[in-house]
Amino acid sequence: MHRFSKKVSMTVVKRLPKYYQYLTDLQLNDIEKISSRELASLMGLTASQIRQDLNSFGGYGQQGYGYNVGELREAIKEILGLDSEYNCIIIGGGNMGHAIANYERFKREGVILKGVFDVDPLTVGTVVGSVVVKHMDELDEFIKANEIDIAILCVPREVGQKVATQVTDLGVKGILNFSPLDLTVPNDVVVENVNITDSLFTLTYLLGE
Amino acid sequence: MHRFSKKVSMTVVKRLPKYYQYLTDLQLNDIEKISSRELASLMGLTASQIRQDLNSFGGYGQQGYGYNVGELREAIKEILGLDSEYNCIIIGGGNMGHAIANYERFKREGVILKGVFDVDPLTVGTVVGSVVVKHMDELDEFIKANEIDIAILCVPREVGQKVATQVTDLGVKGILNFSPLDLTVPNDVVVENVNITDSLFTLTYLLGE
DNA sequence: CGTAATTGGTACATATTGTTATAATTAATT
DNA sequence: AATTAATTATAACAATATGTACCAATTACG
């Protein structure tokens, strides 16, 4: 759990995964140190903003030197909660569920796929990612038995809210929501939406500008 | 092309697809009129903000009456550019490409899937969505011949920039980017990113708060 | 030890959002 | 037809949030 003196705004939080990505790349290229100015040029931000962003979590840089890539990456990894492991399930074994299940990156960062669920008899029993798809009837039992932290929703709009309510009732505290609707969940549950339709429409808007 | 007196901020633009979604739902439920107060309660915004948002594009409401759902929906549809049609291609016929290709919503809103491309010999020739997957070797010819407006990138990180450059060189002006990297494109090209890894990391961050 | 580089933090500027108030307009009621 | 209630459009303002500029303090390094 975080204990930062300053409260951090959502816009800053949304930049953290980007920092993490760039720092990971730098480390892979054996770059040991980087200045805010260099990182800014790389990421298309201002050096000032980067220093401000990073400093809201703590003084990871060294004056006159810059930032140690490895240390900063580890720090951000921890801030993002990626030093812990998470058990996750995918609900909806269609193409989108399939796609997510095969994201190697998830496992590499400690998000472990424990199960995939669907209602379609043709899908149940097939292998998706590393697991065999189970029927939704088994969901309640499974979540209780496996301490699931995150549910990834890839279900049709019509059943999205129902499924969200079901999993949060069972104690799931995080939802990555690919279903194109706004979910209503308890206060202690966090939802991150990936709304592909909205993204497409934003694109068509921008095309007309 | 838009001709609005006021310039509209990106935060407002990002809300437009939401308005469109809610208005579409209202219309499906045969609701003919709605006040800013009612819509605000539905969407979790303030009435004032809704009036301000909508008014930045024109006076679609009627004093003493509210907004006509059908008219407002049509207006937003046009603002979003969804009164035109767009030819699109998907690059990368893996699970993600598959998932997008089967989104019925895209076609319904005038975004027509013209082709799917991949390099994998096992994927080329299979049917994805409504089309047969072609080899990337045919991409250049195809884009020229079919006036492609939008390219949907579902390729691995390593080749994302290369493909983006290729399609923009051929005149594609919009990219919906599912590949987890930041693309560099010409000024007149618009990119909308859907970064699933970033979304997951935002979720793990929020879980630790 | 001196110089150049660089952060941390503060102050400032800009953008966004929310609130309040009011005139204009419409619908509903009597 | 007149009155009342509802509601938007618009402006002004306040409160936040976000981004930028600056500079003292610190460090690296020759």
Side-chain angles (χ1 to χ4, degrees), chain B residues 22-48:
Chain B
Y22 276 91
L23 288 164
T24 302
D25 289 349
L26 287 167
Q27 202 175 37
L28 285 173
N29 289 319
D30 294 319
I31 293 168
E32 284 184 8
K33 68 160 229 176
I34 194 161
S35 68
S36 56
R37 195 169 41 74
E38 291 168 318
L39 190 55
S41 143
L42 210 57
M43 295 182 64
L45 302 172
T46 67
S48 188

Side-chain angles (χ1 to χ4, degrees), chain B residues 187-207:
Chain B
N187 283 331
D188 63 337
V189 174
V190 289
V191 177
E192 184 66 20
N193 292 298
V194 179
N195 194 320
I196 294 170
T197 310
D198 285 3
S199 297
L200 177 71
F201 294 168
T202 303
L203 186 67
T204 57
Y205 173 90
L206 293 172
L207 278 171

Side-chain angles (χ1 to χ4, degrees), chain B residues 95-111:
Chain B
N95 288 310
M96 181 58 73
H98 242 100
I100 308 300
N102 287 305
Y103 260 57
E104 291 300 325
R105 186 72 192 283
F106 279 34
K107 190 196 291 178
R108 211 188 318 145
E109 301 289 358
V111 179

Side-chain angles (χ1 to χ4, degrees), chain A residues 1-2 13 17-18 21-22 25 79-80 95 99 102 157 173 182 192 194 198-199 201 204-205 207-208, chain B residues 1-2 13 17-18 21-22 25 79-80 95 99 102 109 157 173 182 192 194 198-199 201 204-205 207-208:
Chain A
M1 300 300 144
H2 306 146
V13 172
K18 288 260 176 283
Q21 179 69 66
Y22 277 92
D25 288 350
I79 292 165
L80 286 172
N95 288 310
N102 287 303
R157 207 175 126 72
K173 295 292 181 227
D182 295 337
E192 185 66 20
V194 179
D198 285 3
S199 297
F201 293 169
T204 58
Y205 173 89
L207 278 171
Chain B
M1 301 299 146
H2 305 147
V13 172
K18 287 262 176 281
Q21 178 68 66
Y22 276 91
D25 289 349
I79 292 166
L80 286 172
N95 288 310
N102 287 305
E109 301 289 358
R157 203 175 129 73
K173 294 292 180 226
D182 296 336
E192 184 66 20
V194 179
D198 285 3
S199 297
F201 294 168
T204 57
Y205 173 90
L207 278 171

Side-chain angles (χ1 to χ4, degrees), chain A residues 200 203-204 207, chain B residues 85-91 110-117 131 134 136 138-153 163-176 188-190:
Chain A
L200 177 71
L203 185 67
T204 58
L207 278 171
Chain B
E85 288 205 338
Y86 301 86
N87 293 331
C88 87
I89 54 173
I90 293 173
I91 303 182
V111 179
I112 315 293
L113 180 63
K114 290 288 183 174
V116 176
F117 294 84
V131 304
K134 291 183 169 60
M136 283 293 282
E138 302 180 51
L139 184 61
D140 289 26
E141 192 94 8
F142 189 91
I143 290 179
K144 284 179 204 158
N146 289 274
E147 296 188 353
I148 300 303
D149 306 294
I150 295 174
I152 303 178
L153 258 58
V163 174
T165 303
Q166 188 178 358
V167 297
T168 54
D169 281 351
L170 291 161
V172 170
K173 294 292 180 226
I175 295 179
L176 186 57
D188 63 337
V189 174
V190 289

Side-chain angles (χ1 to χ4, degrees), chain A residues 96-109:
Chain A
M96 182 57 74
H98 243 97
I100 308 299
N102 287 303
Y103 260 55
E104 292 299 326
R105 187 74 192 281
F106 279 35
K107 190 198 290 180
R108 209 188 321 144
E109 301 289 358

Side-chain angles (χ1 to χ4, degrees), chain B residues 1-19:
Chain B
M1 301 299 146
H2 305 147
R3 285 294 169 267
F4 304 121
S5 47
K6 305 159 190 175
K7 72 170 195 299
V8 182
S9 73
M10 203 55 198
T11 39
V12 177
V13 172
K14 289 278 182 189
R15 278 196 291 270
L16 289 175
K18 287 262 176 281
Y19 287 123

